[in-house]
């Protein structure tokens, strides 16, 4: 297994990943390393130990082809919520880290929270918030680099509010001409929402094009 040193920002080649996609251990969650990882098609997943992943296949949302699930269409037109961008990133990531039904724990540790809040303060991490009056009831956050967005996690405190946040995010990415929305690994929820899997080699080709895009958050 490849062990990363904090003083060396390089990553192994993707082909060094094991069958599950685990590529390396160690390193740190500094802004330069995180940006290099995302630009390289790699992402961190656990804290103790710190692990780095490059699975094959990769999961994505097709931004231009995305359509909300039919049962959500009416709610998207008539919901009572107020949606914002980057209004309260820290509350969103903290909410994503909390236990929820069917999810007793998450990978979003205090160390991850500190690292991604730092990314947000430097303009690389972003959030969508869903509010009922002044109460945060849903949201999603991720990383944006040029025309690439990596969705990290979402949460809801009222039915479908995470999905409303996701749909608004995809609309925004489409408006801004983003080219790639990475969801890393397919889950039952993201599959129901329309995410698909593609080969890692195709993902890396699309990532390279997205990083050359003039799109900006």
């Amino acid at each position: 297994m490849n062990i990363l040193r904090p003083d060396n920002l390089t990553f192994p080649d993707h082909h060094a990943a094991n069958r599950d996609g685990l590529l390396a251990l160690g390193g740190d969650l500094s802004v330069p390393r995180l940006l290099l990882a995302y630009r390289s098609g790699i992402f961190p997943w656990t804290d103790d130990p710190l692990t780095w992943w490059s699975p094959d296949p990769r999961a994505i949302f097709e931004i231009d082809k995305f359509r909300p699930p039919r049962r959500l269409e009416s709610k998207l037109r008539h919901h009572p919520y107020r949606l914002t961008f980057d209004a309260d990133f820290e509350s969103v990531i903290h909410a994503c880290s909390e236990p929820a039904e069917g999810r007793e724990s998450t990978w979003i540790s205090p160390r991850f929270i500190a690292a991604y809040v730092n990314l947000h303060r430097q303009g690389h991490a972003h959030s969508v918030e869903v509010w009922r009056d002044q109460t945060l009831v849903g949201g999603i956050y991720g990383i944006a680099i040029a025309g690439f967005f990596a969705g990290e996690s979402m949460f809801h405190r009222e039915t479908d509010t995470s999905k409303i946040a996701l749909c608004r995010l995809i609309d925004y990415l489409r408006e801004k001409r983003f080219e790639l929305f990475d969801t890393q690994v397919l889950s039952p929820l993201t599959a129901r929402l329309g995410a698909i899997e593609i080969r890692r080699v195709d993902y890396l080709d699309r990532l390279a094009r997205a990083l050359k895009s003039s799109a900006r958050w």
Side-chain angles (χ1 to χ4, degrees):
M1 176 53 61
N2 297 284
I3 306 297
L4 305 182
R5 300 196 318 268
D7 61 343
N8 187 341
L9 288 181
T10 60
F11 283 99
D13 184 86
H14 293 271
H15 296 295
N18 68 14
R19 182 179 302 178
D20 295 323
L22 178 59
L23 180 65
L25 303 174
D28 56 36
L29 291 174
S30 65
V31 168
R33 186 182 297 278
L34 284 167
L35 292 178
L36 175 62
Y38 284 104
R39 287 180 174 275
S40 303
I42 299 163
F43 60 91
W45 203 349
T46 64
D47 180 3
D48 188 16
L50 181 56
T51 57
W52 300 89
W53 298 76
S54 174
D56 190 7
R58 289 294 285 263
I60 66 168
F61 282 107
E62 293 279 22
I63 297 171
D64 289 338
K65 297 178 182 178
F66 177 81
R67 295 295 180 270
R70 183 169 298 175
R71 73 169 193 84
L72 270 183
E73 289 179 349
S74 177
K75 181 171 281 191
L76 289 169
R77 289 193 298 268
H78 305 296
H79 66 74
Y81 305 111
R82 175 171 59 93
L83 277 72
T84 56
F85 291 90
D86 290 334
D88 198 343
F89 180 91
E90 292 192 38
S91 290
V92 170
I93 193 171
H94 276 281
C96 289
S97 74
E98 295 170 356
E101 183 178 352
R103 185 187 71 189
E104 286 66 41
S105 62
T106 75
W107 52 271
I108 307 172
S109 67
R111 184 183 182 192
F112 269 85
I113 290 172
Y116 282 78
V117 167
N118 197 17
L119 276 172
H120 171 67
R121 290 172 177 167
Q122 296 194 32
H124 307 295
H126 302 279
S127 58
V128 181
E129 300 86 18
V130 182
W131 306 87
R132 181 183 284 278
D133 300 323
Q134 301 305 310
T135 301
L136 183 66
V137 295
I140 187 170
Y141 79 94
I143 309 303
I145 306 172
F148 163 74
F149 187 87
E152 288 296 317
S153 188
M154 58 186 184
F155 81 98
H156 69 276
R157 291 175 177 155
E158 295 187 8
T159 302
D160 290 334
T161 50
S162 60
K163 298 169 187 173
I164 290 171
L166 172 67
C167 291
R168 181 65 188 99
L169 170 61
I170 293 178
D171 282 345
Y172 183 79
L173 297 178
R174 188 182 292 127
E175 292 165 11
K176 294 294 184 179
R177 300 187 181 277
F178 273 60
E179 297 186 16
L180 181 61
F181 185 165
D182 173 23
T183 65
Q184 300 169 352
V185 178
L186 196 67
S187 71
L189 173 60
T190 56
R192 288 195 299 271
L193 292 171
I196 62 170
E197 291 183 321
I198 62 174
R199 298 184 306 162
R200 181 171 61 200
V201 63
D202 296 328
Y203 169 84
L204 293 174
D205 284 345
R206 293 179 64 165
L207 173 63
R209 292 198 299 272
L211 293 176
K212 294 176 182 176
S213 167
S214 61
R216 293 294 183 272
W217 180 270

